Amino acid sequence: MLELIKTNSDNSDFKSLIIQLDDFLKITDGEDHDFYNQYNGLDTINHVVVAYINNKPVGCAAFKPFDKSTVEIKRMFTTKAARGQGVAKAVLNLLEIWAKQLDYQYSILETGIRQLEAIQLYKSCNYKITDNYGQYKGIDQSLCFKKEL
């Protein structure tokens, strides 16, 4: 059974999942990893969701305020064993509900062009490709998305 909890970046299961995410991205991002990794520090994040199946942490994501009306989704990850079970959609949906409850109107995110599963997920969750924002402007390896909440 899937269970979702709201927490923050101090959560030990979130930290453990992020280590797995970073290991995965080192391989997937290849030579571009150092560029992306500089924007993925684990400073205090107040809005984190961790997913559990049978009390085992299997997925996570977070959001940070981007501006007064927009949150940025960060650190989205599902373990290999839990992929294809709706974990990522459930985590993303709860983050969107949480952001909307806090009066945000939009959600944005960035993923690498090599992250084919992530791109498919975001499209299936009604995210639309948008111009690259912030540090991703002019970066050909980045693909940015936006959704009205």
Side-chain angles (χ1 to χ4, degrees):
M1 183 173 100
L2 181 65
E3 178 187 4
L4 303 175
I5 65 157
K6 292 179 181 179
T7 185
N8 62 40
S9 58
D10 291 332
N11 179 286
S12 61
D13 290 331
F14 177 67
K15 289 179 180 181
S16 175
L17 288 163
I18 294 307
I19 290 169
Q20 295 176 61
L21 169 61
D22 287 340
D23 289 345
F24 172 78
L25 291 176
K26 282 179 195 172
I27 295 165
T28 308
D29 290 342
E31 62 188 41
D32 297 322
H33 181 70
D34 288 340
F35 169 78
Y36 291 110
N37 199 45
Q38 69 182 321
Y39 300 112
N40 289 322
L42 267 187
D43 51 344
T44 301
I45 303 174
N46 294 319
H47 304 95
V48 171
V49 172
V50 178
Y52 297 85
I53 295 178
N54 299 323
N55 297 316
K56 181 178 180 184
V58 296
C60 65
F63 72 75
K64 290 181 171 184
F66 183 77
D67 61 30
K68 287 184 177 189
S69 64
T70 307
V71 296
E72 182 181 22
I73 304 294
K74 304 291 288 180
R75 312 309 282 159
M76 187 94 188
F77 179 69
T78 303
T79 62
K80 188 173 184 177
R83 292 182 190 153
Q85 298 180 48
V87 173
K89 277 189 177 184
V91 168
L92 187 56
N93 184 57
L94 184 54
L95 283 173
E96 292 169 356
I97 291 168
W98 196 0
K100 192 170 183 172
Q101 289 171 340
L102 296 172
D103 293 325
Y104 290 99
Q105 289 108 27
Y106 301 98
S107 173
I108 59 173
L109 58 88
E110 180 276 341
T111 192
I113 60 170
R114 295 182 189 107
Q115 309 293 333
L116 301 180
E117 294 92 352
I119 293 167
Q120 186 59 39
L121 168 71
Y122 301 136
K123 286 181 176 181
S124 74
C125 291
N126 298 315
Y127 280 78
K128 305 295 182 209
I129 295 173
T130 189
D131 292 337
N132 287 11
Y133 59 85
Q135 65 267 23
Y136 306 112
K137 286 182 182 175
I139 305 299
D140 294 336
Q141 302 301 314
S142 286
L143 190 58
C144 293
F145 288 86
K146 185 174 186 176
K147 179 179 180 178
E148 185 173 351
L149 299 176

